[in-house]
Amino acid sequence: MGMPPSERLGLDIKRAEHALMAAKGAALRRADLTVAQYAALFTLKDNPGMSAAAVSRACLVTPQAMTSVLRTLEDRGLVERRTHPWYQHVRQIELTEAGERAVTAADREAVRIETRIHRALTADERDTLRQLLSRCVDAIAEE
């Protein structure tokens, strides 16, 4: 082994991500949404008219995965797709009124989780954590 287990950070990062996603998943179930559905609705709330490809990039998932998520949201009446006024081959996605209500309810649940993280760290620690995580992403991308 080239690196002792005590010096490896991958498991610690994964453990934090898993805890966050599990807590958000449980909280969002109360709003009748999955984490992926919430991420799509949350993205569309501030960016109405995005394409499916743009939503998938913003949510860090594959276009195929997002297609399934958006189809479910559309079937539930939470989003609707419209043809772009200038580019007929582009479909814009927007929240419906029901989608607005759903993302608002879900965001209340998600904020509860984020608030617990926020309270556990000082402002300086949050800034440092963001910087450190960004450096981790940069280091991984180097090769």
Side-chain angles (χ1 to χ4, degrees), residues 62-118:
T62 66
Q64 295 83 358
M66 186 52 65
T67 296
S68 175
V69 168
L70 291 172
R71 186 176 303 121
T72 299
L73 293 173
E74 190 173 24
D75 290 347
R76 291 181 56 192
L78 302 179
V79 299
E80 54 189 19
R81 300 178 201 227
R82 297 186 180 139
T83 302
H84 190 282
W86 301 326
Y87 307 104
Q88 297 302 308
H89 65 283
V90 174
R91 304 274 294 175
Q92 296 179 298
I93 306 164
E94 296 185 7
L95 297 180
T96 62
E97 286 184 27
E100 289 274 355
R101 288 190 302 273
V103 74
T104 298
D107 198 49
R108 279 193 298 269
E109 298 297 332
V111 165
R112 288 186 187 134
I113 307 303
E114 295 282 346
T115 299
R116 290 177 10 213
I117 297 169
H118 184 87

Side-chain angles (χ1 to χ4, degrees), residues 37-48 50 54-56 58-59 95 103:
Q37 291 167 346
Y38 165 71
L41 292 173
F42 188 79
T43 298
L44 287 164
K45 181 176 172 47
D46 290 332
N47 304 283
M50 290 179 85
V55 176
S56 70
C59 294
L95 297 180
V103 74

Side-chain angles (χ1 to χ4, degrees), residues 118 121-130:
H118 184 87
L121 303 170
T122 66
D124 286 343
E125 288 171 331
R126 289 189 299 272
D127 289 342
T128 298
L129 180 59
R130 283 186 184 100

Side-chain angles (χ1 to χ4, degrees), residues 13-56:
I13 294 168
K14 180 64 178 174
R15 189 177 295 122
E17 179 200 23
H18 179 74
L20 176 61
M21 291 300 104
K24 277 193 175 180
L28 292 171
R29 273 193 290 282
R30 291 191 285 273
D32 196 28
L33 292 173
T34 67
V35 173
Q37 291 167 346
Y38 165 71
L41 292 173
F42 188 79
T43 298
L44 287 164
K45 181 176 172 47
D46 290 332
N47 304 283
M50 290 179 85
S51 68
V55 176
S56 70

